Amino acid sequence: HDHSCASCRAEESKMSVDFGRMEQLLDFEKPLDVGLLDTTVNAFYMSTNQTERTEIGKFMKRMQEHPQMWTRVDAILETSQNQQTRFFALQIMEDLIRLRWGALPTEQREAIRNYISNVIIKMCSDEAAARREKVFLNKLNVILVHILKHDWPSKWPSFISDIVQASKSGETLCENSMHVVRLLSEEVFDFSRGQLTQAKVKELKGSLNGEFALIHELCVYALANSRKPELIKATLRALAAYLTWIPLGFIFEGNIIGTLLHLFPQPVFRNNVLQCMTEIAGLQVDACYDMHFLTLFNGVMQHINNIVPPGTDLPAVYGQSSDEEQQLLQNLALFFTTFLKSHLTLLEKQIPQDAHMQPKINGTLNLVVQISYVNDNELFKSCLDYWSLFVCDIFSSECSMDSLPQQFAFGGSNGQKQPSRKVLHAEILSKLRLLMICKMAKPEEIIIVEDENGNIVREAMKDNATLVQYRIMRETLVYLSHLDHDDTESQMLEKLALQLNGKEWSWNRLNTLCWAIGSISLTMAEEQENRFLVTVIRDLLNLCEITRGKDNKAVIASNIMYVVGQYPRFLRQHWKFLKTVVNKLFEFMHEKFEGVQDMACDTFLKICVKCRRRFVMLQIGEAEPFLCDLLRNIQTHTNDLESLQVNTFYEAVGLMVSAEPDTARAGDYLVQLMSLPNMKWQQIMQMARQNPMSLREADPCKKLANILGTNTSVCTSMKGTFQKQLGLIFNDVLAVYKTYSEICSGVIATDGPVAAKRSDVKLMRSVKRQALRLLETFLDKADATDLKQVGIGFVHTMLDPVLGDYSRSVPDARDAEVLSLFAVVVARFGSTVESEIGTIFDACFQSTLSMITKNYEEYPDHRIKFYSLLRAVVKHCFRAICALSPEQISLLIDSIVWAFRHTERNVADLGLNLLLELLNSIQKSEFVNVFHQKHCVQLIQEIVAAMTDTFHKPGFKLHVLILQHLFSIVADTSVLTVPIWDASQKQYPSNEHYVRDSLTGLLSSNFPNMSQIQVQAIVAGMFDLRKDYSAFKNHLRDFLVQTKEFATENNAELYAEETAHQRENERQRLSAIPGMVKPAEMHDMNL
């Protein structure tokens, strides 16, 4: 004890700060002790004592949040010699301006404004000090721009003229002014979305436009009179920020282009000049300005050979270049791609009268092709962005989408005169085909992960950067193939020949080539595609034969499988080839090299999805359908596969069986297919009857889980026709489920929750889960006729073994799959199970809520599946919801609120969708008055809270729809016919007045930074705009900006709906072009 006390005293003695004295810093009756503040801040940054640092950090936060602390900023900045202390003071000032500026009296705002301006001017009067204190000066600039966003132009109309006038007094101040006007432009034009109200953005843009003459005058003055590189660079950076939006006269009627071209040859300014010229190049304006763009282009081309000498190997040089040289190449790429996006057709029009124009265009495009080969992914992406537009533009000019099938007929040049743009750029288009072949991105990534039971499962990676790049490259190559099928074919076959003869053999080159070959499926005429593919597959099979080394063979094998999987049309029409390919896949299923068996099973499944009927037809020259031989040898094909691979294999064969039109024969095939799993199942059941304890052993557990997994896979393929097989094992499945339930619950009840993590319990639970997945899959996939045959008795049989077990089990032994199974039961049987909803609720509702409402982390699967079950009940058995008691309804609403408060996006979305569907159903029912009397205001308050807390931005669209619905109900006296306020407290003229009053109070108390006028305007807008969804949504966006909670966040999610709409339009456009939709994503009627 003495020793521990001594160590505590030693720890205290190490503390460098007197916490008692520190409190004096918050005594605003006395002058501020800046020395003490310096000591405190130093201790925070320098202390090695973690406890002390934490305590000082808490104290500094208190200081920062103190409403009077800003009054001491001037004293700190003028007295403190500590850089960290001065930054701390600026942070206090920034918080004041961001969060509480509107609440300050006008005189105080003017005083702060003048003070910040004077500090900046004073610092800039000493150039050496300004350079030394550059970071501090930048922070002051940011604060000044925050003030401008509030006060300019209405409360500080002279700002632009003030700053322009002051700038002429010295070059350092002028350079800093350039930083300020650049920051202002970026804040208004680049970063304003979701941070400023739409009215404020409009006002600022109007002011900047109106006063740009003064800014322009300052820029021209600086560029004309200064010899200081730093000032010229700052001016060019400021100019680049303004060029995209300023009135065009300043660019084209002044001499900005001439000034930029004059500076361009000087290496020190070249990067900044290029950034300005890129902004000009991107402008899409009337033809009257064409000559200016030609001047710009010709001016740059005049110097390009000095910057990048002809014959330079850019990919080799780039790696050894300095950062500035690399930046130059990036800026050149951006300039040329931006210019060509907007003005290529202008350049093409000059060719007849300008003999030098075509070589210049070709030189520019060739330079961008060269840059595209540089090993820098960001640089490649900006080039690729242009190439995708360039190729699409050439393709569109060759044929209209409507005439595509007749004109193109998927053929090459059908004797017609070839259109001019294709010929004009034929050389570049050919080089682009080679570029796409050499650099093609990986199509899809499969990752192998371990699930909670230690089983290996495979997941496809979606929407990562590589996949996005592949999609763009694939679309570009599809266009290129349409523009010249013969060149595409010959370049791919030449590259393949170089793999065969070993001159270019490498894994990466073979991969990119095969990914490229796979990406042009369906772009050629059928005859040409058939010939091309026969050569490709023959060469790849030969390559596999002649190449030595298991790893090399594995890479070739995976590429063979990838290519054949992309061409189902070819396989469907060439039985012998299809048979050869499938038999080759069976060979690969015995190959133990990592990844080969996975890909073989995947490709087999992909082929069966698209070609299933070919395997049950009697083909010419065959004695029986392929499926018959396959079923006899199924054990041979699968004996080297892991359980997950076996399931994929069985799913594929299930697709074949489902394609058999003769029902009796399909039934026989199913019996044969399931004979091996059924035999193993019966052996385990027989053993269990003799010795029930044998089911607790690991081996039978694993086998049962695998057999149930195989059944689920076949059920996925065969849907309702699987009923016959399910009937054979259904009673056994329930018996096994019940046995394992009792064992698991007993073990967990005896040994505590930790027992749920024991390997034997996890194995038994994995069998239970597989059983639930099988039942869920059958109910989900079966059609209405099959469900009728099964009957509601099927559900009754499951109630006690499954639901009863769920409610009786301890939380850690409850399987989330029970909830998803009954969500499917409710969705498929609908009102037929209405009488059972009470039983389902009794078993699942309270027991699950108690598990998921303790925190936001535990039982993630239960959360999703619980709300999916509730949603199914609301949607399909709404009358059962109406039959709940008021207490149960309140519990239901509380559980929905808990869901949409959730920080996990999919849970929050489920909760919001569930609430919207519930409200829509209640509006049409006789319970509309009772429900809204109790829950209307509560729900409005909860949705507003979720919408304004910054954690729930992805739910914005649903927040808008729910609030719009609630405000509409409240304001409609024909729907809501009774008062929803408590009459004993206060009287209101109408429900609308009551809700307006409640909401005004809520917003005023939660957002003290907002004035009463602002709050009233927001609430009024919510009611007045409720009938116009778009206006209502924009009003709520402005409200979120005014709360200031969103000011420093990424607000893209508030605009997600608009983005999704654009994506859908683009998808529809692409689907009209043959080959743009992958074969795997097409819906084929004739399989």
Side-chain angles (χ1 to χ4, degrees):
H1 177 74
D2 288 345
H3 175 75
S4 65
C5 282
S7 66
C8 290
R9 284 194 296 275
E11 188 75 14
E12 282 169 20
S13 68
K14 281 188 218 166
M15 292 198 180
S16 54
V17 171
D18 180 341
F19 283 94
R21 269 193 77 208
M22 214 160 67
E23 287 293 332
Q24 294 171 20
L25 294 171
L26 288 174
D27 183 351
F28 288 88
E29 300 295 317
K30 297 177 186 169
L32 177 70
D33 185 341
V34 176
L36 177 58
L37 180 60
D38 281 345
T39 308
T40 304
V41 173
N42 260 338
F44 177 71
Y45 284 104
M46 311 297 288
S47 175
T48 54
N49 182 329
Q50 193 54 47
T51 312
E52 180 180 66
R53 281 199 68 185
T54 306
E55 289 306 311
I56 297 172
K58 286 179 188 170
F59 178 77
M60 285 173 68
K61 189 155 179 54
R62 273 174 57 211
M63 270 201 296
Q64 199 172 329
E65 291 172 354
H66 195 288
Q68 284 181 271
M69 195 65 203
W70 67 271
T71 59
R72 301 195 150 179
V73 168
D74 56 344
I76 298 169
L77 293 183
E78 281 162 30
T79 315
S80 174
Q81 298 305 307
N82 184 332
Q83 191 75 329
Q84 313 285 27
T85 308
R86 297 171 80 212
F87 269 104
F88 176 61
L90 288 187
Q91 192 57 55
I92 292 167
M93 186 60 80
E94 189 176 359
D95 287 349
L96 170 78
I97 295 160
R98 240 172 9 93
L99 303 173
R100 287 184 288 128
W101 187 252
L104 294 179
T106 306
E107 316 80 68
Q108 286 185 346
R109 296 205 304 207
E110 280 180 14
I112 293 168
R113 208 166 68 192
N114 294 337
Y115 175 72
I116 296 291
S117 304
N118 290 333
V119 173
I120 290 172
I121 291 167
K122 186 180 173 186
M123 285 188 74
C124 291
S125 63
D126 178 349
E127 185 180 353
R131 299 255 176 262
R132 199 171 54 246
E133 299 262 20
K134 186 180 172 186
V135 179
F136 187 75
L137 186 56
N138 286 345
K139 186 72 173 174
L140 282 166
N141 290 337
V142 168
I143 287 173
L144 183 62
V145 170
H146 276 312
I147 293 174
L148 289 171
K149 279 161 40 180
H150 288 286
D151 282 9
W152 181 71
S154 56
K155 296 187 178 68
W156 192 358
S158 62
F159 165 70
I160 296 289
S161 56
D162 291 351
I163 199 171
V164 168
Q165 201 53 46
S167 298
K168 292 179 181 175
S169 65
E171 289 189 301
T172 309
L173 183 56
C174 185
E175 183 186 333
N176 191 66
S177 298
M178 293 300 176
H179 293 312
V180 172
V181 293
R182 175 176 58 82
L183 277 173
L184 182 59
S185 174
E186 288 171 350
E187 284 291 328
V188 174
F189 285 87
D190 301 341
F191 310 134
S192 61
R193 196 167 91 156
Q195 295 193 12
L196 296 167
T197 66
Q198 289 157 79
K200 187 66 185 175
V201 171
K202 194 175 175 184
E203 181 190 28
L204 290 174
K205 284 183 177 179
S207 299
L208 278 173
N209 246 319
E211 302 210 36
F212 183 72
L214 290 169
I215 298 172
H216 177 255
E217 178 196 315
L218 181 61
C219 291
V220 170
Y221 176 81
L223 292 174
N225 294 297
S226 178
R227 295 290 168 269
K228 284 185 69 174
E230 290 87 356
L231 174 54
I232 293 173
K233 283 182 175 182
T235 305
L236 289 168
R237 279 196 291 269
L239 203 53
Y242 281 83
L243 283 168
T244 49
W245 58 262
I246 60 175
L248 296 173
F250 288 110
I251 300 173
F252 299 117
E253 287 158 28
N255 193 29
I256 285 182
I257 291 175
T259 306
L260 292 172
L261 288 172
H262 172 70
L263 292 169
F264 183 55
Q266 301 175 51
V268 68
F269 303 128
R270 205 172 269 152
N271 274 321
N272 298 110
V273 169
L274 272 170
Q275 285 165 352
C276 289
M277 293 198 294
T278 302
E279 297 297 348
I280 296 173
L283 295 171
Q284 293 177 317
V285 291
D286 296 340
C288 60
Y289 298 112
D290 283 355
M291 289 313 296
H292 296 281
F293 289 112
L294 290 172
T295 304
L296 179 63
F297 180 72
N298 288 324
V300 172
M301 293 308 290
Q302 198 178 329
H303 301 286
I304 200 68
N305 286 344
N306 297 332
I307 299 170
V308 185
T312 306
D313 182 353
L314 286 179
V317 169
Y318 188 81
Q320 288 130 35
S321 301
S322 67
D323 286 352
E324 197 164 339
E325 288 165 336
Q326 289 188 353
Q327 186 71 49
L328 175 62
L329 202 60
Q330 289 162 12
N331 284 330
L332 275 172
L334 266 177
F335 169 73
F336 282 126
T337 53
T338 304
F339 189 95
L340 293 169
K341 271 179 205 173
S342 301
H343 309 294
L344 177 60
T345 47
L346 167 65
L347 299 182
E348 289 169 351
K349 284 175 193 167
Q350 309 309 306
I351 292 172
Q353 63 261 31
D354 182 349
H356 302 292
M357 186 52 79
Q358 186 158 357
K360 282 182 189 172
I361 296 173
N362 288 346
T364 306
L365 290 167
N366 272 308
L367 178 61
V368 182
V369 169
Q370 268 191 286
I371 293 172
S372 304
Y373 278 102
V374 167
N375 189 20
D376 180 312
N377 203 40
E378 289 307 309
L379 188 53
F380 177 69
K381 278 197 285 195
S382 63
C383 294
L384 176 62
D385 180 45
Y386 173 64
W387 292 131
S388 67
L389 291 169
F390 169 73
V391 172
C392 178
D393 186 37
I394 302 287
F395 176 81
S396 302
S397 66
E398 291 307 300
C399 63
S400 70
M401 297 299 148
D402 298 331
S403 58
L404 180 69
Q406 299 82 33
Q407 234 182 339
F408 259 105
F410 301 96
S413 58
N414 50 8
Q416 295 175 351
K417 184 185 174 192
Q418 286 185 298
S420 57
R421 288 192 80 199
K422 191 166 80 168
V423 173
L424 183 67
H425 299 297
E427 181 197 340
I428 288 296
L429 292 169
S430 185
K431 287 182 177 178
L432 286 179
R433 289 182 192 98
L434 185 60
L435 174 69
M436 295 300 138
I437 291 165
C438 293
K439 302 265 291 187
M440 182 57 74
K442 192 173 183 179
E444 185 178 38
E445 201 173 338
I446 301 289
I447 56 165
I448 297 189
V449 294
E450 197 173 299
D451 71 6
E452 72 277 13
N453 300 312
N455 299 322
I456 296 298
V457 294
R458 293 159 54 254
E459 291 175 4
M461 292 289 282
K462 297 288 181 198
D463 289 335
N464 61 11
T466 310
L467 218 49
V468 171
Q469 195 163 311
Y470 167 72
R471 182 182 55 74
I472 297 168
M473 294 184 79
R474 181 181 168 278
E475 286 170 11
T476 306
L477 195 50
V478 167
Y479 285 130
L480 287 165
S481 179
H482 276 303
L483 286 165
D484 191 337
H485 300 107
D486 296 341
D487 184 55
T488 308
E489 180 183 7
S490 66
Q491 291 216 50
M492 287 178 169
L493 292 178
E494 276 171 35
K495 279 287 176 190
L496 190 52
L498 290 169
Q499 292 292 318
L500 264 170
N501 64 26
K503 286 183 182 173
E504 280 194 6
W505 160 252
S506 84
W507 291 2
N508 186 51
R509 287 189 185 128
L510 181 65
N511 285 340
T512 55
L513 171 60
C514 290
W515 296 337
I517 290 169
S519 70
I520 59 163
S521 174
L522 301 177
T523 60
M524 297 179 181
E526 219 167 305
E527 189 184 327
Q528 184 177 11
E529 184 174 277
N530 293 349
R531 188 183 67 237
F532 169 62
L533 209 57
V534 167
T535 310
V536 167
I537 296 174
R538 186 194 63 215
D539 285 358
L540 285 172
L541 289 169
N542 286 343
L543 187 61
C544 200
E545 291 301 317
I546 62 171
T547 306
R548 295 282 160 264
K550 264 185 176 283
D551 47 359
N552 291 329
K553 282 183 180 292
V555 170
I556 300 164
S558 70
N559 280 304
I560 292 171
M561 292 185 280
Y562 176 71
V563 170
V564 296
Q566 299 306 305
Y567 285 86
R569 178 177 73 175
F570 169 79
L571 295 175
R572 279 204 295 268
Q573 287 159 11
H574 297 82
W575 166 249
K576 285 191 174 171
F577 229 99
L578 174 57
K579 184 180 176 184
T580 306
V581 163
V582 171
N583 283 326
K584 194 71 186 172
L585 292 178
F586 292 160
E587 277 180 42
F588 290 149
M589 286 177 196
H590 300 285
E591 174 56 67
K592 290 289 188 181
F593 197 85
E594 186 185 0
V596 174
Q597 288 173 307
D598 275 331
M599 194 152 184
C601 293
D602 274 355
T603 307
F604 180 46
L605 177 58
K606 196 182 283 185
I607 288 172
C608 288
V609 166
K610 294 292 178 183
C611 309
R612 64 187 87 166
R613 282 186 57 195
R614 301 301 177 275
F615 298 105
V616 293
M617 292 161 66
L618 182 60
Q619 302 288 347
I620 297 166
E622 303 284 354
E624 61 182 358
F626 182 85
L627 179 57
C628 298
D629 179 64
L630 169 56
L631 290 170
R632 279 197 298 275
N633 295 297
I634 200 162
Q635 189 164 6
T636 311
H637 295 317
T638 57
N639 60 5
D640 285 329
L641 298 176
E642 299 292 331
S643 58
L644 195 72
Q645 295 158 351
V646 169
N647 292 348
T648 306
F649 187 94
Y650 268 80
E651 185 180 342
V653 182
L655 284 167
M656 293 183 189
V657 176
S658 72
E660 172 54 63
D662 184 322
T663 314
R665 192 177 299 157
D668 293 340
Y669 285 152
L670 178 60
V671 171
Q672 281 179 268
L673 174 61
M674 299 309 295
S675 62
L676 194 60
N678 283 348
M679 187 177 74
K680 290 179 184 172
W681 178 269
Q682 290 306 332
Q683 285 170 355
I684 297 169
M685 292 301 104
Q686 191 63 38
M687 186 172 68
R689 287 184 194 102
Q690 292 166 2
N691 175 18
M693 293 306 288
S694 65
L695 285 179
R696 295 189 70 158
E697 292 167 18
D699 188 54
C701 265
K702 284 179 183 170
K703 281 180 180 167
L704 284 173
N706 291 340
I707 295 165
L708 287 166
T710 303
N711 272 275
T712 306
S713 294
V714 176
C715 182
T716 303
S717 301
M718 297 198 59
K719 303 181 178 171
T721 49
F722 185 76
Q723 183 187 334
K724 189 177 173 186
Q725 163 65 15
L726 184 59
L728 291 175
I729 60 170
F730 180 66
N731 289 330
D732 284 343
V733 169
L734 285 185
V736 166
Y737 187 92
K738 196 173 179 186
T739 303
Y740 281 149
S741 295
E742 287 165 0
I743 296 170
C744 291
S745 289
V747 170
I748 293 170
T750 308
D751 299 348
V754 73
K757 309 233 176 343
R758 271 173 29 184
S759 59
D760 59 334
V761 174
K762 282 167 87 173
L763 269 175
M764 287 186 274
R765 288 188 67 193
S766 75
V767 177
K768 287 176 67 184
R769 286 199 188 105
Q770 284 291 4
L772 293 166
R773 282 180 197 134
L774 172 59
L775 297 173
E776 184 184 330
T777 303
F778 174 71
L779 289 172
D780 190 38
K781 301 286 181 186
D783 60 29
T785 316
D786 297 314
L787 283 183
K788 215 168 186 179
Q789 286 178 1
V790 170
I792 195 71
F794 181 77
V795 176
H796 291 145
T797 318
M798 294 192 299
L799 286 177
D800 186 65
V802 177
L803 268 186
D805 165 63
Y806 185 89
S807 64
R808 289 189 294 269
S809 298
V810 295
D812 286 326
R814 289 182 188 138
D815 296 307
E817 285 75 7
V818 171
L819 303 170
S820 57
L821 169 61
F822 278 91
V824 172
V825 166
V826 172
R828 295 311 310 274
F829 285 98
S831 57
T832 321
V833 289
E834 221 162 70
S835 58
E836 305 301 338
I837 297 297
T839 311
I840 295 172
F841 263 45
D842 289 344
C844 300
F845 196 77
Q846 193 64 59
S847 54
T848 310
L849 264 185
S850 64
M851 292 162 62
I852 64 175
T853 52
K854 285 178 185 167
N855 54 49
Y856 285 130
E857 287 79 41
E858 288 181 296
Y859 309 111
D861 281 353
H862 290 74
R863 293 170 195 277
I864 295 286
K865 287 168 180 170
F866 174 70
Y867 289 110
S868 298
L869 171 59
L870 287 186
R871 202 172 166 192
V873 173
V874 166
K875 199 170 181 180
H876 301 283
C877 296
F878 179 68
R879 303 309 306 169
I881 295 285
C882 298
L884 296 175
S885 67
E887 292 72 29
Q888 286 175 311
I889 293 280
S890 292
L891 199 57
L892 173 66
I893 294 300
D894 289 345
S895 71
I896 293 173
V897 169
W898 179 265
F900 67 66
R901 275 185 189 167
H902 211 286
T903 47
E904 192 67 41
R905 177 173 178 171
N906 46 8
V907 180
D909 279 358
L910 261 176
L912 291 167
N913 277 305
L914 170 56
L915 178 58
L916 191 57
E917 285 159 13
L918 180 66
L919 290 172
N920 282 324
S921 297
I922 282 171
Q923 183 185 355
K924 298 168 197 159
S925 76
E926 65 272 29
F927 297 99
V928 64
N929 285 328
V930 178
F931 179 85
H932 285 89
Q933 274 181 317
K934 184 148 191 194
H935 302 292
C936 181
V937 171
Q938 175 201 359
L939 287 171
I940 289 173
Q941 289 174 346
E942 292 290 359
I943 291 290
V944 168
M947 187 173 70
T948 54
D949 70 3
T950 75
F951 298 115
H952 295 95
K953 276 186 260 184
F956 179 68
K957 178 188 172 183
L958 288 163
H959 294 150
V960 173
L961 287 169
I962 290 166
L963 287 175
Q964 186 187 23
H965 176 97
L966 287 168
F967 289 137
S968 299
I969 291 267
V970 166
D972 190 342
T973 52
S974 66
V975 176
L976 207 54
T977 56
V978 297
I980 60 170
W981 65 88
D982 182 353
S984 64
Q985 300 293 316
K986 191 176 175 184
Q987 287 300 319
Y988 292 90
S990 68
N991 286 326
E992 183 178 333
H993 281 83
Y994 165 59
V995 172
R996 279 180 184 243
D997 190 51
S998 301
L999 195 53
T1000 302
L1002 175 77
L1003 299 184
S1004 299
S1005 61
N1006 282 359
F1007 303 106
N1009 59 300
M1010 288 167 66
S1011 69
Q1012 195 63 18
I1013 294 169
Q1014 276 180 302
V1015 170
Q1016 285 166 355
I1018 285 161
V1019 174
M1022 287 179 182
F1023 277 95
D1024 297 345
L1025 300 171
R1026 67 183 186 276
K1027 291 178 182 174
D1028 180 344
Y1029 172 72
S1030 182
F1032 186 76
K1033 179 171 64 176
N1034 286 330
H1035 181 69
L1036 289 186
R1037 279 184 188 143
D1038 280 353
F1039 159 56
L1040 292 177
V1041 170
Q1042 287 170 286
T1043 65
K1044 294 293 184 287
E1045 295 285 337
F1046 282 75
T1048 55
E1049 307 280 338
N1050 173 8
N1051 293 310
E1053 291 290 359
L1054 302 185
Y1055 297 84
E1057 190 180 354
E1058 286 82 349
T1059 311
H1061 186 62
Q1062 287 167 359
R1063 275 202 301 264
E1064 177 57 22
N1065 289 344
E1066 177 65 2
R1067 190 193 65 73
Q1068 288 180 4
R1069 184 186 72 78
L1070 290 176
S1071 64
I1073 301 166
M1076 276 300 179
V1077 180
K1078 285 185 183 177
E1081 292 164 7
M1082 292 173 74
H1083 181 66
D1084 296 294
M1085 296 308 290
N1086 177 24
L1087 302 175

